[in-house]
PDB file of all heavy atoms in Angstrom:
ATOM      1  N   VAL A 203    -206.427  49.825   7.121  1.00  0.00           N
ATOM      2  CA  VAL A 203    -206.673  50.937   6.315  1.00  0.00           C
ATOM      3  C   VAL A 203    -207.073  52.115   7.186  1.00  0.00           C
ATOM      4  O   VAL A 203    -208.116  51.991   7.928  1.00  0.00           O
ATOM      5  CB  VAL A 203    -207.767  50.662   5.304  1.00  0.00           C
ATOM      6  CG1 VAL A 203    -208.046  51.880   4.436  1.00  0.00           C
ATOM      7  CG2 VAL A 203    -207.457  49.513   4.433  1.00  0.00           C
ATOM      8  N   PRO A 204    -206.370  53.270   7.184  1.00  0.00           N
ATOM      9  CA  PRO A 204    -206.795  54.407   7.991  1.00  0.00           C
ATOM     10  C   PRO A 204    -208.166  54.863   7.634  1.00  0.00           C
ATOM     11  O   PRO A 204    -208.546  54.861   6.521  1.00  0.00           O
ATOM     12  CB  PRO A 204    -205.731  55.427   7.793  1.00  0.00           C
ATOM     13  CG  PRO A 204    -204.547  54.655   7.272  1.00  0.00           C
ATOM     14  CD  PRO A 204    -205.164  53.503   6.472  1.00  0.00           C
ATOM     15  N   THR A 205    -208.877  55.475   8.600  1.00  0.00           N
ATOM     16  CA  THR A 205    -210.235  55.932   8.255  1.00  0.00           C
ATOM     17  C   THR A 205    -210.339  57.463   8.206  1.00  0.00           C
ATOM     18  O   THR A 205    -211.399  57.933   7.798  1.00  0.00           O
ATOM     19  CB  THR A 205    -211.174  55.509   9.419  1.00  0.00           C
ATOM     20  OG1 THR A 205    -210.713  55.976  10.658  1.00  0.00           O
ATOM     21  CG2 THR A 205    -211.195  53.968   9.447  1.00  0.00           C
ATOM     22  N   ASN A 206    -209.321  58.208   8.540  1.00  0.00           N
ATOM     23  CA  ASN A 206    -209.404  59.684   8.542  1.00  0.00           C
ATOM     24  C   ASN A 206    -208.829  60.292   7.282  1.00  0.00           C
ATOM     25  O   ASN A 206    -208.068  61.234   7.340  1.00  0.00           O
ATOM     26  CB  ASN A 206    -208.784  60.155   9.801  1.00  0.00           C
ATOM     27  CG  ASN A 206    -207.357  59.827   9.955  1.00  0.00           C
ATOM     28  OD1 ASN A 206    -206.901  58.947   9.140  1.00  0.00           O
ATOM     29  ND2 ASN A 206    -206.583  60.467  10.742  1.00  0.00           N
ATOM     30  N   ARG A 207    -209.104  59.761   6.110  1.00  0.00           N
ATOM     31  CA  ARG A 207    -208.640  60.331   4.860  1.00  0.00           C
ATOM     32  C   ARG A 207    -209.740  61.057   4.205  1.00  0.00           C
ATOM     33  O   ARG A 207    -210.957  60.854   4.531  1.00  0.00           O
ATOM     34  CB  ARG A 207    -208.060  59.285   3.959  1.00  0.00           C
ATOM     35  CG  ARG A 207    -206.898  58.586   4.561  1.00  0.00           C
ATOM     36  CD  ARG A 207    -206.309  57.556   3.650  1.00  0.00           C
ATOM     37  NE  ARG A 207    -205.156  56.829   4.195  1.00  0.00           N
ATOM     38  CZ  ARG A 207    -204.508  55.893   3.560  1.00  0.00           C
ATOM     39  NH1 ARG A 207    -204.834  55.494   2.379  1.00  0.00           N
ATOM     40  NH2 ARG A 207    -203.494  55.318   4.130  1.00  0.00           N
ATOM     41  N   ARG A 208    -209.374  61.883   3.181  1.00  0.00           N
ATOM     42  CA  ARG A 208    -210.327  62.544   2.327  1.00  0.00           C
ATOM     43  C   ARG A 208    -211.207  61.561   1.616  1.00  0.00           C
ATOM     44  O   ARG A 208    -210.817  60.365   1.418  1.00  0.00           O
ATOM     45  CB  ARG A 208    -209.701  63.491   1.430  1.00  0.00           C
ATOM     46  CG  ARG A 208    -209.001  64.678   2.156  1.00  0.00           C
ATOM     47  CD  ARG A 208    -208.377  65.581   1.202  1.00  0.00           C
ATOM     48  NE  ARG A 208    -207.677  66.679   1.903  1.00  0.00           N
ATOM     49  CZ  ARG A 208    -207.039  67.617   1.266  1.00  0.00           C
ATOM     50  NH1 ARG A 208    -206.987  67.679  -0.074  1.00  0.00           N
ATOM     51  NH2 ARG A 208    -206.463  68.596   1.996  1.00  0.00           N
ATOM     52  N   LYS A 209    -212.259  61.952   1.126  1.00  0.00           N
ATOM     53  CA  LYS A 209    -213.268  61.088   0.518  1.00  0.00           C
ATOM     54  C   LYS A 209    -212.672  60.307  -0.645  1.00  0.00           C
ATOM     55  O   LYS A 209    -212.832  59.104  -0.732  1.00  0.00           O
ATOM     56  CB  LYS A 209    -214.511  61.891   0.127  1.00  0.00           C
ATOM     57  CG  LYS A 209    -215.626  60.982  -0.443  1.00  0.00           C
ATOM     58  CD  LYS A 209    -216.895  61.793  -0.651  1.00  0.00           C
ATOM     59  CE  LYS A 209    -218.037  60.944  -1.159  1.00  0.00           C
ATOM     60  NZ  LYS A 209    -219.272  61.725  -1.449  1.00  0.00           N
ATOM     61  N   LEU A 210    -211.942  61.076  -1.565  1.00  0.00           N
ATOM     62  CA  LEU A 210    -211.368  60.354  -2.699  1.00  0.00           C
ATOM     63  C   LEU A 210    -210.436  59.309  -2.358  1.00  0.00           C
ATOM     64  O   LEU A 210    -210.422  58.172  -2.879  1.00  0.00           O
ATOM     65  CB  LEU A 210    -210.744  61.439  -3.664  1.00  0.00           C
ATOM     66  CG  LEU A 210    -210.144  60.926  -4.946  1.00  0.00           C
ATOM     67  CD1 LEU A 210    -211.273  60.208  -5.788  1.00  0.00           C
ATOM     68  CD2 LEU A 210    -209.446  61.991  -5.655  1.00  0.00           C
ATOM     69  N   VAL A 211    -209.533  59.654  -1.361  1.00  0.00           N
ATOM     70  CA  VAL A 211    -208.607  58.718  -0.904  1.00  0.00           C
ATOM     71  C   VAL A 211    -209.244  57.518  -0.258  1.00  0.00           C
ATOM     72  O   VAL A 211    -208.851  56.400  -0.441  1.00  0.00           O
ATOM     73  CB  VAL A 211    -207.524  59.428   0.100  1.00  0.00           C
ATOM     74  CG1 VAL A 211    -206.619  58.360   0.598  1.00  0.00           C
ATOM     75  CG2 VAL A 211    -206.851  60.537  -0.612  1.00  0.00           C
ATOM     76  N   PHE A 212    -210.328  57.825   0.539  1.00  0.00           N
ATOM     77  CA  PHE A 212    -211.041  56.768   1.224  1.00  0.00           C
ATOM     78  C   PHE A 212    -211.671  55.804   0.155  1.00  0.00           C
ATOM     79  O   PHE A 212    -211.524  54.540   0.319  1.00  0.00           O
ATOM     80  CB  PHE A 212    -212.152  57.292   2.042  1.00  0.00           C
ATOM     81  CG  PHE A 212    -212.986  56.266   2.686  1.00  0.00           C
ATOM     82  CD1 PHE A 212    -212.574  55.662   3.879  1.00  0.00           C
ATOM     83  CD2 PHE A 212    -214.185  55.957   2.132  1.00  0.00           C
ATOM     84  CE1 PHE A 212    -213.372  54.646   4.445  1.00  0.00           C
ATOM     85  CE2 PHE A 212    -215.020  54.915   2.762  1.00  0.00           C
ATOM     86  CZ  PHE A 212    -214.519  54.426   3.967  1.00  0.00           C
ATOM     87  N   LEU A 213    -212.303  56.326  -0.931  1.00  0.00           N
ATOM     88  CA  LEU A 213    -212.921  55.442  -1.912  1.00  0.00           C
ATOM     89  C   LEU A 213    -211.795  54.715  -2.641  1.00  0.00           C
ATOM     90  O   LEU A 213    -212.022  53.415  -2.910  1.00  0.00           O
ATOM     91  CB  LEU A 213    -213.706  56.334  -2.871  1.00  0.00           C
ATOM     92  CG  LEU A 213    -214.957  56.978  -2.385  1.00  0.00           C
ATOM     93  CD1 LEU A 213    -215.520  57.962  -3.413  1.00  0.00           C
ATOM     94  CD2 LEU A 213    -215.953  55.955  -1.994  1.00  0.00           C
ATOM     95  N   THR A 214    -210.729  55.321  -2.989  1.00  0.00           N
ATOM     96  CA  THR A 214    -209.617  54.568  -3.580  1.00  0.00           C
ATOM     97  C   THR A 214    -209.123  53.461  -2.656  1.00  0.00           C
ATOM     98  O   THR A 214    -208.904  52.246  -3.034  1.00  0.00           O
ATOM     99  CB  THR A 214    -208.412  55.490  -3.924  1.00  0.00           C
ATOM    100  OG1 THR A 214    -208.931  56.506  -4.759  1.00  0.00           O
ATOM    101  CG2 THR A 214    -207.329  54.737  -4.648  1.00  0.00           C
ATOM    102  N   GLY A 215    -208.952  53.791  -1.409  1.00  0.00           N
ATOM    103  CA  GLY A 215    -208.474  52.771  -0.404  1.00  0.00           C
ATOM    104  C   GLY A 215    -209.492  51.632  -0.241  1.00  0.00           C
ATOM    105  O   GLY A 215    -209.091  50.459  -0.133  1.00  0.00           O
ATOM    106  N   ALA A 216    -210.741  52.000  -0.267  1.00  0.00           N
ATOM    107  CA  ALA A 216    -211.827  50.955  -0.120  1.00  0.00           C
ATOM    108  C   ALA A 216    -211.773  49.928  -1.304  1.00  0.00           C
ATOM    109  O   ALA A 216    -211.874  48.755  -1.128  1.00  0.00           O
ATOM    110  CB  ALA A 216    -213.187  51.587  -0.105  1.00  0.00           C
ATOM    111  N   ILE A 217    -211.445  50.545  -2.541  1.00  0.00           N
ATOM    112  CA  ILE A 217    -211.341  49.641  -3.659  1.00  0.00           C
ATOM    113  C   ILE A 217    -210.159  48.689  -3.529  1.00  0.00           C
ATOM    114  O   ILE A 217    -210.162  47.521  -3.783  1.00  0.00           O
ATOM    115  CB  ILE A 217    -211.235  50.429  -4.960  1.00  0.00           C
ATOM    116  CG1 ILE A 217    -212.461  51.242  -5.281  1.00  0.00           C
ATOM    117  CG2 ILE A 217    -210.833  49.564  -6.143  1.00  0.00           C
ATOM    118  CD1 ILE A 217    -212.403  52.263  -6.377  1.00  0.00           C
ATOM    119  N   LEU A 218    -209.018  49.334  -3.093  1.00  0.00           N
ATOM    120  CA  LEU A 218    -207.808  48.516  -2.882  1.00  0.00           C
ATOM    121  C   LEU A 218    -208.022  47.481  -1.771  1.00  0.00           C
ATOM    122  O   LEU A 218    -207.527  46.331  -1.869  1.00  0.00           O
ATOM    123  CB  LEU A 218    -206.630  49.468  -2.453  1.00  0.00           C
ATOM    124  CG  LEU A 218    -206.120  50.342  -3.549  1.00  0.00           C
ATOM    125  CD1 LEU A 218    -205.098  51.309  -3.007  1.00  0.00           C
ATOM    126  CD2 LEU A 218    -205.540  49.641  -4.752  1.00  0.00           C
TER     127      LEU A 218
END
Side-chain angles (χ1 to χ4, degrees):
V203 180
T205 58
N206 58 344
R207 297 183 180 179
R208 294 181 180 179
K209 187 173 182 180
L210 181 60
V211 177
F212 176 81
L213 291 173
T214 304
I217 293 170
L218 292 174

